Amino acid sequence: MSDVTVREFQPGDEDAFRRLNEEWIVRYFKLEAKDREAFANPQEKIVAKGGRIFFAVIDGEPVGVCALVPMGPGEYEISKMGVTASAQGKGAGRTVLQRCVDAGREMGAARLYLETNRTLTPAIHLYEAVGFKQVPTERIVASPYARADVFMEMWLDR
């Protein structure tokens, strides 16, 4: 088994960012306007706004991705997380997700938030394993994604 490393987004990674996300989205759902917006220019839509994008890499090839998107003071969304089918089960998802959580701490986040779908059971189990919990029903805010029906958060110790 190859080692999984993580590196940050750099110019030229736009295609890998789009490809890794489109793969899982079109397998289970359909691309939505907000997806296309992020894929069109991740540098502008995520990084330039104070976010970060990380790639899980095996043998020099990006096999997973996870973004940390600013939501407001002290809050970031874990977004656009995906691992290519051939790399699933090799630790790429956990490694890149943990790097996003660590980056949130480094950036002074108090809370990390994410949206997913109940059909993505392995992803939900991974989120729970690293410490995410369901958002109480009374605090759920409508999502821009039609596919979102599970809302989770992690409160960070500073």
Side-chain angles (χ1 to χ4, degrees):
M1 183 161 84
S2 298
D3 289 334
V4 177
T5 59
V6 177
R7 70 168 175 78
E8 201 147 356
F9 179 91
Q10 50 197 287
D13 283 338
E14 295 82 0
D15 185 58
F17 178 74
R18 180 196 50 74
R19 177 180 47 80
L20 288 166
N21 276 290
E22 275 187 359
E23 180 183 326
W24 73 265
I25 294 169
V26 299
R27 184 180 324 136
Y28 297 102
F29 311 104
K30 66 178 185 171
L31 289 176
E32 298 184 43
K34 195 148 173 75
D35 296 316
R36 288 186 189 91
E37 203 176 280
F39 300 157
N41 193 338
Q43 174 67 39
E44 176 187 307
K45 295 295 181 184
I46 297 170
V47 179
K49 293 182 177 180
R52 296 171 78 180
I53 301 170
F54 296 96
F55 288 96
V57 178
I58 296 177
D59 295 330
E61 186 67 30
V63 297
V65 66
C66 189
L68 194 58
V69 181
M71 294 175 61
E75 293 190 322
Y76 292 83
E77 179 180 6
I78 298 287
S79 180
K80 299 295 181 249
M81 182 174 168
V83 174
T84 193
S86 64
Q88 290 176 358
K90 297 181 179 180
R94 179 179 295 270
T95 302
V96 76
L97 175 60
Q98 188 60 58
R99 180 63 189 108
C100 267
V101 170
D102 293 345
R105 272 195 185 91
E106 293 163 9
M107 297 163 66
R111 177 180 177 252
L112 299 178
Y113 170 82
L114 65 84
E115 299 176 351
T116 189
N117 184 281
R118 69 179 165 267
T119 63
L120 302 175
T121 308
I124 293 170
H125 291 310
L126 174 59
Y127 298 139
E128 291 171 339
V130 300
F132 281 87
K133 300 195 179 331
Q134 298 274 335
V135 173
T137 308
E138 65 274 7
R139 288 199 298 109
I140 292 174
V141 177
S143 173
Y145 294 100
R147 65 181 174 258
D149 64 3
V150 174
F151 307 89
M152 302 179 84
E153 65 187 357
M154 177 192 292
W155 291 93
L156 302 176
D157 298 327
R158 294 188 189 196

